[in-house]
């Protein structure tokens, strides 16, 4: 925490600026003790004043949500909480080794809403034993509590975690590709009927409550980032902090920014990335933007037309966007952009 | 040099029975190379030959040996190719010799390759000296193997030599036996020149280098020569012997073996088995010359269509030192521009493919190999069909004939049942079944070559746990009830997947092939329908359901680097596919027919 504060100060001295959004996440910031959070915010405020109405999000585990912490978070100016619910089914929470129960998740969500936070809840699809019926139960709880924002993720197996190992050995326990697609499309329909807008592959929001911070990232805005292994981005560049805690501490202690890599994107690569991130959003991208890629990325151009022909993408009002079914197979298209 | 002091011989052995090791020992003992100079197995000079432990091209080495009788002999060891694909070259190498060492592993006994080559040698009147190798091994049974040689090959084996090429045990006796038992060359030094070409290779600096055996007369530097089969005339620019380093000489006299350069620039100008004559005084050609024709055909296409010129150049360069394979430009709807290539056999095909990828860096898509069919059309024409897609429509076919082979299989008795079953499944006709005693059986079958080229050898090995050995020779053509099996993807026939099959197997193969393709073609944006058809009749239908999910759910901040890698991997996977209309087909699919069980 001390090193993090130092990094914030270093960055601030190089060019502090007012913030529109602030996001505390990656790891479990809801576990951080009050005094530590207080001093972090003191440094942040010194260099990066928040403009009025700025979105300040904290990632939290349901079992960390207590009335004391709620008071603390409010005092610090945190106005949005992203709650890692995963499921409202105890069996599945056990499988994920989560510390919280379904009841705890429900209570946490309730108290955060009552305290006046904008609340986002995370759910997970693709878990072993998760049927459409069980999923429906979780979605019903959401509809009843009606948080402002919902993120639903498909379990990804590209990281070597425990479930990936299980999937290798007992693929039969996991829902099939067909089932997973069905669950995703079911969720889409359910949440839309419940009053949510599906504005990104995995994100739904009540009107006016889209995650401002993430939108900034998806639209290619400048994002500063602090902490071990944090990534930041500029208009056409990206950089990464060291993901090695010792190295990170050493660099910061020596008064240096702990960045270990920096990538400058070519104009074309930046465009390709913009299109890729743009097509992940419901508003899609300008047709001119994809047209400009036609010559450089002929595979993309051809496949995009396949998407259009198969109803996986739609052209409308000078823009092109993917449908939820299109999002489900969007890597096919995006692989032609890298 | 006196003819009586020359001995020309070769070594006949099954793979791994120790031919190369024995050759190395002979070189060492005669001082051709010091032990320090010896790289293991000098004679196999191509990387591929050394790696696979097989000899692809003929080599020769001239040894000088002081025998116990006090005389100094010139021994020419002619190393023959060791694979059935090259049996014509083998026969020509044998024709350059008066004798052969028949090397048999004292533990394993006679194998099919030994037998086939021993028969070839015996037919040509060569003196065979049986040599039992690896007698130092605990499992060696020289007595049993000696009996086997007598019984199976039918030659006297009482005074077979017992050696261990690895340790050198008994090898000096081999040299003595060569001198004592192999007759000297019998040509006429005063007759006009006749020299047998038993190998030709391309040297980038000096052009074509022929290996020859002077049968009659002599060959001299500056001499005007004529090649009997083509009538091509040239002048001898240089000649000599290989020790194994080239040692230039002024002349090669009757009975000698050596190399000749005659300013020829293209390997195709020279044919193995041809006779070199004196242009001024041409004698009749030596017997036995034959045009070699490729037997197995496959389409070779560059993975990246932009590599077509690269592939063409590579094939041209390869053909400079491999005159046996043919290539003609071909255009497949499915695979674009490429070449239809002809090979002597499967091994030859593998070698060419491997050299293209390894030496020339061309990534290839290969279609399943097929044989050449002979079609008599209703119009009375005879057409050679090298590409199944080009088979005339059924209404225009009077008769189709397919090449057949005579297969020789040696196996322990235990596996006879499985082997007979395999041969019957492959439409074979039994020719001979002989129990040789000692638990060994000789099986001879007449089989369609088409049934052999795909996976017969692998199947034989697996149904005999690797114990059966196999060799074959071509045995003409046979009429067959053959039909073209088409594969359609989303209604479009894919020329590169068409095969010719026996009518009795068509249904089964069509279904199995469609099913295999369903497994191999990944899900795509659209449904993919795979059909197998004979003429206009669809006999099998399989569907690859459309892709349902391929998405990155989480894509925030730092993740992009990791996600990019994931997408890049997917992109790499796509690169290895060929696009057919809207369908991406993986390269392996073009070999799917190989994976269909009979």
């Amino acid at each position: 925490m001390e090193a993090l504060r130092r990094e914030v100060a270093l960055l601030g001295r190089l060019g502090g600026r007012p913030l529109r959004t602030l996001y505390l996440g990656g790891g479990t910031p809801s576990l951080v003790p009050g005094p530590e959070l207080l001093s972090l915010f003191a440094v942040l405020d010194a260099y990066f004043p928040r403009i009025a109405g700025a979105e300040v999000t904290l990632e939290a585990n349901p079992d960390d949500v207590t009335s004391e912490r709620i008071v603390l978070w409010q005092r610090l100016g945190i106005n949005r909480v992203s709650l890692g619910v995963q499921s409202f089914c105890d069996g599945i929470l056990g499988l994920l080794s989560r510390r919280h129960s379904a009841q705890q998740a429900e209570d946490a969500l309730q108290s955060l809403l009552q305290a006046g936070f904008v609340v986002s809840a995370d759910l997970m699809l693709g878990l072993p034993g998760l049927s459409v019926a069980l999923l429906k139960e979780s979605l019903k709880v959401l509809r009843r509590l009606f948080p402002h924002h919902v993120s639903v993720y498909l379990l990804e197996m590209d990281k070597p975690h425990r479930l990936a190992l299980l999937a290798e050995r007992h693929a039969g326990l996991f829902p099939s590709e067909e089932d997973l697609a069905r669950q995703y499309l079911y969720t889409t329909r359910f949440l839309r009927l419940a009053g949510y807008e599906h504005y990104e592959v995995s994100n739904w929001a009540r009107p006016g409550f889209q995650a401002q911070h993430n939108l900034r990232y998806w639209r290619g805005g400048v994002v500063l980032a602090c902490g071990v292994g944090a990534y930041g981005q500029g208009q056409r560049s990206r950089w990464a902090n060291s993901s090695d805690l010792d190295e990170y501490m050493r660099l910061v202690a020596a008064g240096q920014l702990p960045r270990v890599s920096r990538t400058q994107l070519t104009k074309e690569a930046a465009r390709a990335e913009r299109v890729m991130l743009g097509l992940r959003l419901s508003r899609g991208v300008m047709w001119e933007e994809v047209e400009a890629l036609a010559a450089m990325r002929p595979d993309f151009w051809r496949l995009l037309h396949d998407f259009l022909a198969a109803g996986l993408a739609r052209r409308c009002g000078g823009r092109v966007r993917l449908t939820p079914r299109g999002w489900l197979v969007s890597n096919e298209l995006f692989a032609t952009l890298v | 040099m006196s003819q009586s002091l020359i001995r020309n011989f070769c070594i006949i052995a099954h793979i791994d029975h120790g031919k190369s090791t024995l050759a190395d020992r002979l070189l060492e003992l005669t001082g051709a190379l010091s032990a320090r100079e010896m790289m293991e197995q000098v004679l196999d000079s191509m990387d591929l030959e050394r790696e696979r432990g097989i000899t692809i091209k003929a080599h020769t080495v001239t040894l000088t040996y002081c025998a116990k009788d006090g005389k100094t002999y010139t021994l020419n060891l002619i190393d023959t190719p060791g694979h059935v694909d090259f049996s014509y070259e083998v026969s020509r190498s044998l024709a350059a010799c008066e004798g052969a060492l028949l090397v048999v592993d004292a533990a394993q006994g006679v194998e099919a390759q030994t037998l086939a080559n021993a028969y070839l040698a015996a037919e040509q009147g060569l003196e065979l000296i049986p040599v039992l190798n690896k007698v130092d091994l605990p499992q060696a049974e020289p007595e049993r193997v000696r009996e086997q040689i007598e019984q199976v090959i039918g030659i006297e084996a009482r005074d077979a030599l017992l050696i261990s090429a690895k340790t050198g045990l008994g090898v000096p006796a081999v040299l003595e036996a060569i001198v004592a038992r192999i007759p000297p060359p019998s040509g006429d030094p005063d007759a006009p020149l006749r020299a047998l070409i038993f190998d030709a290779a391309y040297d980038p600096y000096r052009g074509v280098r022929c290996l020859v055996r002077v049968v009659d007369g002599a060959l001299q530097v500056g001499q005007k020569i004529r090649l009997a089969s083509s009538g091509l005339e040239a002048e001898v620019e240089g000649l000599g012997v290989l020790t194994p380093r080239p040692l230039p000489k002024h002349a090669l006299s009757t009975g000698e073996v050596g190399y000749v350069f005659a300013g020829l620039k293209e390997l195709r100008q020279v044919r193995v088995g041809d006779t070199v004559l004196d242009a001024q005084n041409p004698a009749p050609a030596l017997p036995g010359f034959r045009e070699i024709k490729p037997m197995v055909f496959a389409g070779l296409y560059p993975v990246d269509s932009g590599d077509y010129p690269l592939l063409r150049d590579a094939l041209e360069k390869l053909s400079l030192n491999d005159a046996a394979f043919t290539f003609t430009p071909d255009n497949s709807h499915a695979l674009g521009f490429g070449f239809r290539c002809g090979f002597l056999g499967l091994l030859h095909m593998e070698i060419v493919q491997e050299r293209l990828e390894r030496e020339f860096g061309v990534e290839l898509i290969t279609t399943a190999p097929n044989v050449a069919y002979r079609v008599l059309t209703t119009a009375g024409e005879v057409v050679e069909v090298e590409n199944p897609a080009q088979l005339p429509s059924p209404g225009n076919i009077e008769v189709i004939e397919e090449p057949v082979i005579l297969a020789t299989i040696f196996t322990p008795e235990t596996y006879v049942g499985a082997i007979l079953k395999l041969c019957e499944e492959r439409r074979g006709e039994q020719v001979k079944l002989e129990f040789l005693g000692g638990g060994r059986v000789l099986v001879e079958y007449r089989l369609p070559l088409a049934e052999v080229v795909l996976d017969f050898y692998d199947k034989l090995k697996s149904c005999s746990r690797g114990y059966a050995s196999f060799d074959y020779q071509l045995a003409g053509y046979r009429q067959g009830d053959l039909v073209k099996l088409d594969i359609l993807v989303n209604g479009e026939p894919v020329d590169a997947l068409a095969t010719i099959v026996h009518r009795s197997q068509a249904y089964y193969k069509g279904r199995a092939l469609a099913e295999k393709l369903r497994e191999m073609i990944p899900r795509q944006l659209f449904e993919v329908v795979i059909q197998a058809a004979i003429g206009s009749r669809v006999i099998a239908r399989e569907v690859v359901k459309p892709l349902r999910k391929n998405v990155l759910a989480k894509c925030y901040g730092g993740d992009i680097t990791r996600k990019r890698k994931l997408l890049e991997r997917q992109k790499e996977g796509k690169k290895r596919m060929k696009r057919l209309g809207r369908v991406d087909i993986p390269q392996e699919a073009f070999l799917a027919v190989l994976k269909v069980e009979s």
Side-chain angles (χ1 to χ4, degrees), chain B residues 550-575:
Chain B
N550 180 13
V551 59
L552 292 170
K554 281 190 185 180
C555 192
Y556 302 108
D559 272 351
I560 188 114
T561 317
R562 195 167 57 84
K563 305 288 174 176
R564 269 190 97 89
K565 278 186 196 139
L566 198 119
L567 290 171
E568 271 159 18
R569 274 204 303 278
Q570 294 200 357
K571 187 181 168 186
E572 279 308 306
K574 285 266 190 299
K575 259 194 196 160

Short mmCIF file of all heavy atoms in Angstrom, two decimals, chain B residues 550-575:
data_model
loop_
_atom_site.label_atom_id
_atom_site.label_comp_id
_atom_site.label_asym_id
_atom_site.label_seq_id
_atom_site.Cartn_x
_atom_site.Cartn_y
_atom_site.Cartn_z
N ASN B 550 -17.50 -18.64 -29.44
CA ASN B 550 -16.07 -18.36 -29.46
C ASN B 550 -15.95 -16.89 -29.13
O ASN B 550 -15.97 -16.03 -29.98
CB ASN B 550 -15.48 -18.66 -30.85
CG ASN B 550 -14.00 -18.37 -30.90
OD1 ASN B 550 -13.36 -18.18 -29.85
ND2 ASN B 550 -13.44 -18.33 -32.10
N VAL B 551 -15.87 -16.62 -27.84
CA VAL B 551 -15.96 -15.23 -27.40
C VAL B 551 -15.07 -14.99 -26.19
O VAL B 551 -14.83 -15.89 -25.40
CB VAL B 551 -17.43 -14.86 -27.07
CG1 VAL B 551 -17.98 -15.76 -25.99
CG2 VAL B 551 -17.59 -13.41 -26.68
N LEU B 552 -14.57 -13.78 -26.10
CA LEU B 552 -13.87 -13.37 -24.89
C LEU B 552 -14.87 -12.58 -24.07
O LEU B 552 -15.30 -11.50 -24.47
CB LEU B 552 -12.71 -12.43 -25.24
CG LEU B 552 -11.57 -13.07 -26.01
CD1 LEU B 552 -10.63 -11.99 -26.49
CD2 LEU B 552 -10.84 -14.04 -25.11
N ALA B 553 -15.27 -13.16 -22.93
CA ALA B 553 -16.29 -12.49 -22.15
C ALA B 553 -15.71 -11.24 -21.49
O ALA B 553 -16.30 -10.18 -21.50
CB ALA B 553 -16.85 -13.43 -21.10
N LYS B 554 -14.52 -11.39 -20.93
CA LYS B 554 -13.92 -10.26 -20.21
C LYS B 554 -12.90 -9.58 -21.09
O LYS B 554 -11.98 -10.23 -21.58
CB LYS B 554 -13.22 -10.77 -18.95
CG LYS B 554 -14.15 -11.05 -17.82
CD LYS B 554 -13.35 -11.30 -16.54
CE LYS B 554 -14.29 -11.70 -15.42
NZ LYS B 554 -13.60 -11.95 -14.17
N CYS B 555 -13.04 -8.32 -21.27
CA CYS B 555 -12.04 -7.59 -22.03
C CYS B 555 -11.91 -6.20 -21.46
O CYS B 555 -12.61 -5.28 -21.84
CB CYS B 555 -12.46 -7.55 -23.51
SG CYS B 555 -11.14 -6.99 -24.57
N TYR B 556 -11.06 -6.10 -20.47
CA TYR B 556 -10.85 -4.81 -19.80
C TYR B 556 -9.37 -4.48 -19.81
O TYR B 556 -8.54 -5.32 -20.14
CB TYR B 556 -11.33 -4.87 -18.34
CG TYR B 556 -12.77 -5.25 -18.21
CD1 TYR B 556 -13.13 -6.49 -17.74
CD2 TYR B 556 -13.76 -4.34 -18.56
CE1 TYR B 556 -14.46 -6.85 -17.61
CE2 TYR B 556 -15.09 -4.69 -18.45
CZ TYR B 556 -15.44 -5.94 -17.96
OH TYR B 556 -16.76 -6.28 -17.86
N GLY B 557 -9.08 -3.29 -19.32
CA GLY B 557 -7.73 -2.78 -19.12
C GLY B 557 -6.61 -3.66 -19.61
O GLY B 557 -6.42 -3.82 -20.80
N GLY B 558 -5.89 -4.25 -18.66
CA GLY B 558 -4.65 -4.93 -19.00
C GLY B 558 -4.83 -6.19 -19.80
O GLY B 558 -3.90 -6.66 -20.45
N ASP B 559 -6.04 -6.70 -19.79
CA ASP B 559 -6.25 -7.99 -20.41
C ASP B 559 -5.86 -8.05 -21.89
O ASP B 559 -5.53 -9.09 -22.39
CB ASP B 559 -7.72 -8.38 -20.30
CG ASP B 559 -7.97 -9.13 -19.01
OD1 ASP B 559 -6.96 -9.45 -18.34
OD2 ASP B 559 -9.11 -9.36 -18.68
N ILE B 560 -5.90 -6.91 -22.55
CA ILE B 560 -5.80 -6.96 -24.01
C ILE B 560 -4.57 -7.70 -24.52
O ILE B 560 -4.64 -8.45 -25.47
CB ILE B 560 -5.89 -5.54 -24.64
CG1 ILE B 560 -5.97 -5.65 -26.16
CG2 ILE B 560 -4.71 -4.70 -24.24
CD1 ILE B 560 -7.26 -5.18 -26.72
N THR B 561 -3.43 -7.56 -23.82
CA THR B 561 -2.21 -8.22 -24.27
C THR B 561 -2.40 -9.74 -24.30
O THR B 561 -2.07 -10.40 -25.27
CB THR B 561 -1.04 -7.87 -23.35
OG1 THR B 561 -1.12 -6.48 -23.08
CG2 THR B 561 0.28 -8.18 -23.99
N ARG B 562 -2.96 -10.23 -23.19
CA ARG B 562 -3.17 -11.66 -23.09
C ARG B 562 -4.21 -12.11 -24.12
O ARG B 562 -4.07 -13.14 -24.78
CB ARG B 562 -3.64 -12.01 -21.68
CG ARG B 562 -3.56 -13.47 -21.32
CD ARG B 562 -3.75 -13.63 -19.81
NE ARG B 562 -5.00 -13.05 -19.35
CZ ARG B 562 -6.18 -13.69 -19.40
NH1 ARG B 562 -6.24 -14.91 -19.86
NH2 ARG B 562 -7.26 -13.11 -18.95
N LYS B 563 -5.25 -11.31 -24.26
CA LYS B 563 -6.33 -11.66 -25.20
C LYS B 563 -5.81 -11.66 -26.63
O LYS B 563 -6.20 -12.48 -27.45
CB LYS B 563 -7.49 -10.67 -25.09
CG LYS B 563 -8.03 -10.53 -23.69
CD LYS B 563 -8.81 -11.74 -23.26
CE LYS B 563 -9.20 -11.60 -21.80
NZ LYS B 563 -10.01 -12.63 -21.27
N ARG B 564 -4.96 -10.70 -26.91
CA ARG B 564 -4.38 -10.64 -28.26
C ARG B 564 -3.70 -11.94 -28.60
O ARG B 564 -3.82 -12.46 -29.69
CB ARG B 564 -3.35 -9.52 -28.33
CG ARG B 564 -3.88 -8.20 -28.76
CD ARG B 564 -2.72 -7.28 -29.02
NE ARG B 564 -2.42 -7.25 -30.43
CZ ARG B 564 -2.97 -6.40 -31.27
NH1 ARG B 564 -3.83 -5.52 -30.84
NH2 ARG B 564 -2.67 -6.42 -32.54
N LYS B 565 -2.94 -12.46 -27.60
CA LYS B 565 -2.21 -13.70 -27.84
C LYS B 565 -3.17 -14.82 -28.19
O LYS B 565 -2.92 -15.62 -29.09
CB LYS B 565 -1.39 -14.08 -26.60
CG LYS B 565 -0.09 -13.31 -26.58
CD LYS B 565 0.80 -13.76 -25.45
CE LYS B 565 1.88 -12.75 -25.22
NZ LYS B 565 2.15 -12.51 -23.82
N LEU B 566 -4.28 -14.85 -27.45
CA LEU B 566 -5.28 -15.88 -27.69
C LEU B 566 -5.83 -15.76 -29.12
O LEU B 566 -5.97 -16.75 -29.84
CB LEU B 566 -6.41 -15.68 -26.69
CG LEU B 566 -7.34 -16.84 -26.48
CD1 LEU B 566 -7.26 -17.28 -25.02
CD2 LEU B 566 -8.77 -16.46 -26.82
N LEU B 567 -6.12 -14.53 -29.52
CA LEU B 567 -6.64 -14.31 -30.87
C LEU B 567 -5.59 -14.64 -31.93
O LEU B 567 -5.91 -15.18 -32.98
CB LEU B 567 -7.11 -12.85 -31.03
CG LEU B 567 -8.37 -12.48 -30.24
CD1 LEU B 567 -8.62 -10.98 -30.30
CD2 LEU B 567 -9.58 -13.23 -30.77
N GLU B 568 -4.35 -14.32 -31.60
CA GLU B 568 -3.30 -14.63 -32.57
C GLU B 568 -3.16 -16.14 -32.77
O GLU B 568 -2.91 -16.60 -33.88
CB GLU B 568 -1.95 -14.03 -32.11
CG GLU B 568 -1.77 -12.62 -32.64
CD GLU B 568 -0.76 -11.81 -31.85
OE1 GLU B 568 0.05 -12.40 -31.10
OE2 GLU B 568 -0.81 -10.57 -31.97
N ARG B 569 -3.33 -16.87 -31.67
CA ARG B 569 -3.27 -18.34 -31.81
C ARG B 569 -4.38 -18.82 -32.73
O ARG B 569 -4.18 -19.68 -33.57
CB ARG B 569 -3.41 -19.01 -30.44
CG ARG B 569 -2.11 -19.15 -29.69
CD ARG B 569 -2.17 -20.28 -28.67
NE ARG B 569 -3.25 -20.13 -27.71
CZ ARG B 569 -3.18 -19.36 -26.63
NH1 ARG B 569 -2.10 -18.67 -26.38
NH2 ARG B 569 -4.19 -19.28 -25.79
N GLN B 570 -5.58 -18.23 -32.54
CA GLN B 570 -6.70 -18.64 -33.39
C GLN B 570 -6.42 -18.31 -34.86
O GLN B 570 -6.75 -19.06 -35.75
CB GLN B 570 -7.97 -17.92 -32.95
CG GLN B 570 -8.43 -18.33 -31.58
CD GLN B 570 -9.91 -18.01 -31.36
OE1 GLN B 570 -10.56 -17.43 -32.21
NE2 GLN B 570 -10.41 -18.38 -30.20
N LYS B 571 -5.77 -17.16 -35.05
CA LYS B 571 -5.47 -16.74 -36.40
C LYS B 571 -4.48 -17.71 -37.06
O LYS B 571 -4.63 -18.08 -38.21
CB LYS B 571 -4.87 -15.34 -36.34
CG LYS B 571 -4.67 -14.70 -37.69
CD LYS B 571 -4.06 -13.34 -37.49
CE LYS B 571 -3.55 -12.74 -38.75
NZ LYS B 571 -2.85 -11.49 -38.50
N GLU B 572 -3.48 -18.12 -36.27
CA GLU B 572 -2.51 -19.08 -36.79
C GLU B 572 -3.21 -20.36 -37.23
O GLU B 572 -2.88 -20.94 -38.26
CB GLU B 572 -1.45 -19.41 -35.72
CG GLU B 572 -0.36 -18.36 -35.61
CD GLU B 572 0.26 -18.03 -36.96
OE1 GLU B 572 0.72 -18.96 -37.64
OE2 GLU B 572 0.27 -16.84 -37.33
N GLY B 573 -4.16 -20.79 -36.40
CA GLY B 573 -4.91 -22.00 -36.72
C GLY B 573 -5.63 -21.85 -38.05
O GLY B 573 -5.65 -22.76 -38.87
N LYS B 574 -6.19 -20.68 -38.27
CA LYS B 574 -6.94 -20.41 -39.50
C LYS B 574 -6.03 -20.46 -40.73
O LYS B 574 -6.42 -20.88 -41.79
CB LYS B 574 -7.59 -19.04 -39.45
CG LYS B 574 -8.79 -18.95 -38.57
CD LYS B 574 -10.05 -19.18 -39.41
CE LYS B 574 -11.30 -18.88 -38.62
NZ LYS B 574 -11.47 -19.70 -37.45
N LYS B 575 -4.80 -20.00 -40.52
CA LYS B 575 -3.86 -19.95 -41.64
C LYS B 575 -3.63 -21.32 -42.24
O LYS B 575 -3.32 -21.45 -43.41
CB LYS B 575 -2.51 -19.43 -41.15
CG LYS B 575 -2.29 -17.97 -41.46
CD LYS B 575 -0.83 -17.65 -41.26
CE LYS B 575 -0.62 -16.17 -41.19
NZ LYS B 575 0.64 -15.83 -40.55
#
